[in-house]
């Protein structure tokens, strides 16, 4: 019976080894699609450029999908001003200066945060508040000249 137990144990070890090798081989074949970041890892400079560049808006669109349901976009001004992206630890936003003042074009909370309050404008200043479980970030933007600029809360 000792020889039979030894054969069973050896068979079990061989089966586990083969199953492990098959699993590792499958992961190797699939590659980065499981463990990697889709599109690669972006540098801080690439993210800043992406946030600063305006997103194309199709003709007849009413916004970027970040607006509250049921709202419509304002009529575009004759000559839209500069767009600029802003980033906080709580999230990001893109603002634009126009003839009617500043308006938020889009905003997105960071992971672990949600949008608590939004004043999208157009107005003298606009705000978005990102709230997390332990902290909140308020981003307030106003136009200086025709350039959107983040300002301290009054």
């Amino acid at each position: 019976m000792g020889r039979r137990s030894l054969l069973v144990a050896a068979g079990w070890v061989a089966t586990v080894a083969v199953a492990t090798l098959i699993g590792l081989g499958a992961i190797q074949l699939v590659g980065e699609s499981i463990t990697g970041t889709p599109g690669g890892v972006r540098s801080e400079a690439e993210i800043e450029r992406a946030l600063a560049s305006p997103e194309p808006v199709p003709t007849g669109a009413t916004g970027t999908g970040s607006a509250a349901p049921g709202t419509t976009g304002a009529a575009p001004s004759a000559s839209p001003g500069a767009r600029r992206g802003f980033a906080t630890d709580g999230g990001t936003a893109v603002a634009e200066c126009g003839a009617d003042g500043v308006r938020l074009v889009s905003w997105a909370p960071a992971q672990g945060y949600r949008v608590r309050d939004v004043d999208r404008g157009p107005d003298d200043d606009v705000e978005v508040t990102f709230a997390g479980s332990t902290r909140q970030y308020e981003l307030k933007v106003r136009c200086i000249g025709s350039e959107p600029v983040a300002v301290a809360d009054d």
Side-chain angles (χ1 to χ4, degrees):
M1 188 120 169
R3 185 177 186 137
R4 186 176 213 177
S5 297
L6 186 60
L7 284 174
V8 168
W12 183 84
V13 169
T15 303
V16 168
V18 168
T20 301
L21 289 174
I22 289 172
L24 290 173
I27 290 173
Q28 184 69 26
L29 284 175
V30 174
E32 268 192 37
S33 65
I34 288 179
T35 59
T37 304
V41 177
R42 294 186 174 201
S43 71
E44 193 171 320
E46 288 174 317
I47 292 170
E48 291 283 332
R49 279 193 305 272
L51 287 173
S53 66
E55 295 179 16
V57 178
T59 306
T62 60
T64 60
S66 299
T71 61
T72 59
S77 58
S79 59
R83 276 190 183 182
R84 182 168 173 212
F86 301 91
T88 69
D89 288 342
T92 59
V94 177
E96 175 181 66
C97 291
D100 300 335
V102 64
R103 73 177 186 96
L104 285 175
V105 177
S106 65
W107 54 91
Q111 187 171 357
Y113 287 83
R114 63 181 173 78
V115 176
R116 197 185 106 220
D117 190 30
V118 176
D119 174 12
R120 72 179 299 188
D123 204 346
D124 291 337
D125 54 53
V126 293
E127 311 180 10
V128 59
T129 303
F130 302 107
S133 60
T134 59
R135 188 134 190 235
Q136 90 176 16
Y137 294 91
E138 183 175 284
L139 176 63
K140 187 173 187 176
V141 179
R142 134 177 325 153
C143 287
I144 297 181
S146 63
E147 189 74 27
V149 176
V151 293
D153 196 20
D154 298 337

